[in-house]
Amino acid sequence: MNIEIKQLNKAFGDNKVFTDFNLVLDKQVVAVSGESGCGKTTLLRMIAGLTDYSGSIENVPEKLSYVFQEDRLLPWKTVCENLAFVGKDIEPSKLNELIESVLNKLGLSDTRDMLPDKLSGGMQRRVALGRAYIYDSELILMDEPFKGLNPEMKHKIADEFLEMIRASNKSVVIVTHDDDIIAKADERIQIN
């Protein structure tokens, strides 16, 4: 990953969130932190092309995954179907292997045939993480990705997920307030 952000400007009415902001994201796992309302989520949305801005954001991969603050699972699909939904371009036997691996690593093997409304909030969060990983993307943008997980589960899942990222050709930008997650990143960026 080598995303270059140059002379970025973004305002909401009179509230200037970014003014001539410059940044290079060039590590595999980047954590972005800062006070609430400083523009962390807005930065992810701009990188993803989901909101307008002036300036430039260069070298964003064509394919990216996004873990929103909400899980956004398809309520009529089971855990496996939610994971498979984003893997349509992957050869079926490889997709099945990948789904099995993700279910195992994220502690979801027993939930494969369950609908999202039958899962705890933490389980739904892990399905959202797995879905973002399975999608054939080079970059995963994650907004408070480990919220809703108890402290022990958060550490276990964060370690497993980041191990999967580091073993792949993917990069990740994580927006978080969590110092424990920030400490696991290759690069830490503080936005004021």
Side-chain angles (χ1 to χ4, degrees), residues 107-120:
L108 294 166
S109 294
D110 294 339
T111 67
R112 66 182 347 96
D113 297 321
M114 296 172 72
L115 293 171
D117 68 347
K118 301 299 182 204
L119 304 174
S120 70

Side-chain angles (χ1 to χ4, degrees), residues 3 12 41 62-64 73 91 102-103 107 110 125 136 140 144-145:
I3 296 172
F12 295 99
T41 296
E62 190 174 311
K63 289 177 135 184
L64 57 86
L73 301 177
E91 192 270 314
V102 166
L103 288 171
D110 294 339
R125 196 67 185 156
D136 184 24
I140 303 175
E144 296 292 350

Side-chain angles (χ1 to χ4, degrees), residues 44 65-68 125 129 132 140-146 161-162 165 172-176:
L44 285 188
S65 301
Y66 202 127
V67 177
F68 294 90
R125 196 67 185 156
L129 290 168
I140 303 175
L141 302 175
M142 304 172 76
D143 197 352
E144 296 292 350
F146 304 106
F161 189 83
L162 294 178
I165 292 296
V172 64
V173 178
I174 305 169
V175 160
T176 186

Side-chain angles (χ1 to χ4, degrees), residues 59-78:
N59 304 320
V60 176
E62 190 174 311
K63 289 177 135 184
L64 57 86
S65 301
Y66 202 127
V67 177
F68 294 90
Q69 288 189 25
E70 314 81 31
D71 299 320
R72 300 189 180 191
L73 301 177
L74 301 171
W76 59 90
K77 291 192 176 286
T78 66

Side-chain angles (χ1 to χ4, degrees), residues 115-184:
L115 293 171
D117 68 347
K118 301 299 182 204
L119 304 174
S120 70
M123 289 175 175
Q124 290 179 28
R125 196 67 185 156
R126 287 183 272 156
V127 175
L129 290 168
R131 190 176 56 185
Y133 180 79
I134 286 173
Y135 182 66
D136 184 24
S137 62
E138 296 173 46
L139 174 65
I140 303 175
L141 302 175
M142 304 172 76
D143 197 352
E144 296 292 350
F146 304 106
K147 71 175 188 143
L149 300 176
N150 67 49
E152 182 181 324
M153 182 61 73
K154 175 186 69 177
H155 286 291
K156 179 182 183 316
I157 296 303
D159 288 343
E160 288 288 349
F161 189 83
L162 294 178
E163 180 182 308
M164 290 163 45
I165 292 296
R166 289 187 170 110
S168 72
N169 63 347
K170 298 175 186 283
S171 295
V172 64
V173 178
I174 305 169
V175 160
T176 186
H177 291 100
D178 190 318
D179 290 335
D180 293 332
I181 302 301
I182 293 167
K184 298 175 187 295

Side-chain angles (χ1 to χ4, degrees), residues 3-23:
I3 296 172
E4 295 183 50
I5 299 170
K6 300 176 183 175
Q7 301 297 303
L8 188 69
N9 293 283
K10 177 65 180 173
F12 295 99
D14 292 335
N15 180 22
K16 293 183 179 178
V17 182
F18 291 100
T19 303
D20 296 327
F21 181 75
N22 297 289
L23 180 65

